[in-house]
Amino acid sequence: MVIVNNLTIKLKNETILKSISCSLLPGRITTLIGQSGAGKTSLLKSFIGLMPITDGKITINDKKINSLSSKQRSEEIGYVFQEFNLFANLTVLQNCIDPLIVHGLNKSQAEKRALEILQELEMQNFANKYPSELSGGQQQRIAIARALCLKPKVLLLDEPTASLDPLNTTILVNILKKLAAQGLTICLSSQDMGFVKQIFDRVYYIKSGEIAEFCDSNQQISSCPLISKFI
């Protein structure tokens, strides 16, 4: 479980996030919605140390995020950037084994694990391709595979449908639901309300750096007046 408690982030005297408190649960998909600039991506990046925390804390399974080394944090949390951030000069397989080698696996062990993850995402036939040879949806699945190779407990995705067509969005929905069913904690930001409606277990509406409303899939959406305007 990930718990965010009174998180505040300030940059150059500007408050980006103000007293954010929320939780991410194993086996559930949490979505962050809100307008561009509301603070969704900043919240996600704070989990992996790319946004400095001014006040408050984030814990994952009772461990403070700030107390973890970069290596430990990457083993706890996988992150899929909106731009995927694949290495253009490396093949799909090389992109996936690179973090494993950094974390101490030998090449044989790394290849075995990477191929297992690629197979789970039905991308094993693309192992020797380069990112430029793949579609946007395929690149995203490779980015997800790379994030999963370190067997994190949490998977974060920033605007995952931004460059996807409807078919690849459906594929992504199925992948994420399958991963959640396996117990993975998933959190994503999105402005694609059709996608959010298909996938959310819990949704936080962020407005001007604050949580304006929260809704759980067990609730009636109509009981959440702000969120119900979107989904």
Side-chain angles (χ1 to χ4, degrees), residues 9-202:
I9 292 176
K10 293 182 179 179
L11 293 176
K12 297 180 180 179
N13 296 320
E14 179 184 359
T15 300
I16 308 300
L17 295 175
K18 182 180 179 181
S19 300
I20 293 281
S21 292
C22 60
S23 57
L24 315 179
L25 303 180
R28 307 203 76 192
I29 299 173
T30 300
T31 59
L32 309 175
I33 66 171
Q35 296 181 347
S36 294
K40 304 184 301 297
T41 297
S42 295
L43 179 55
L44 289 179
K45 287 184 174 180
S46 70
F47 292 128
I48 58 171
L50 292 182
M51 290 293 284
I53 296 174
T54 304
D55 198 12
K57 65 179 181 178
I58 304 172
T59 59
I60 177 168
N61 297 328
D62 298 322
K63 293 176 285 189
K64 289 183 67 173
I65 288 289
N66 281 353
S67 70
L68 302 177
S69 66
S70 297
K71 181 178 178 181
Q72 289 172 324
R73 198 180 306 214
S74 63
E75 291 171 349
E76 297 282 352
I77 301 173
Y79 195 103
V80 179
F81 291 86
Q82 183 176 342
E83 302 83 8
F84 311 139
N85 288 9
L86 298 173
F87 295 110
N89 61 323
L90 300 181
T91 65
V92 163
L93 183 59
Q94 289 168 337
N95 264 281
C96 290
I97 69 173
D98 186 65
L100 295 172
I101 298 294
V102 170
H103 282 252
L105 273 69
N106 62 43
K107 187 175 180 182
S108 176
Q109 292 171 322
E111 286 187 357
K112 183 176 183 294
R113 184 184 296 182
L115 287 171
E116 287 172 353
I117 299 295
L118 288 171
Q119 185 168 6
E120 185 175 348
L121 299 184
E122 299 182 0
M123 292 299 292
Q124 69 274 18
N125 293 335
F126 298 86
N128 295 317
K129 298 284 187 181
Y130 287 88
S132 62
E133 300 177 278
L134 306 179
S135 69
Q138 290 168 338
Q139 288 185 42
Q140 185 185 63
R141 272 177 273 168
I142 299 309
I144 293 173
R146 182 175 64 181
L148 293 176
C149 277
L150 291 174
K151 298 185 177 180
K153 300 173 182 66
V154 180
L155 179 66
L156 307 177
L157 304 97
D158 187 18
E159 298 289 349
T161 63
S163 61
L164 301 188
D165 58 26
L167 174 59
N168 278 297
T169 296
T170 298
I171 292 172
L172 177 63
V173 167
N174 293 333
I175 287 171
L176 295 181
K177 285 185 174 181
K178 179 181 177 182
L179 292 171
Q182 294 170 356
L184 193 65
T185 300
I186 297 174
C187 182
L188 58 91
S189 68
S190 183
Q191 295 188 76
D192 181 346
M193 293 303 105
F195 168 65
V196 170
K197 191 172 183 178
Q198 290 182 72
I199 203 165
F200 86 93
D201 291 310
R202 350 179 71 209

Side-chain angles (χ1 to χ4, degrees), residues 23 25 28-31 200-204 213-224 227 231:
S23 57
L25 303 180
R28 307 203 76 192
I29 299 173
T30 300
T31 59
F200 86 93
D201 291 310
R202 350 179 71 209
V203 57
Y204 289 94
E213 195 170 67
F214 164 76
C215 189
D216 192 275
S217 58
N218 295 324
Q219 298 173 244
Q220 291 289 332
I221 289 291
S222 58
S223 69
C224 307
I227 291 172
I231 60 177

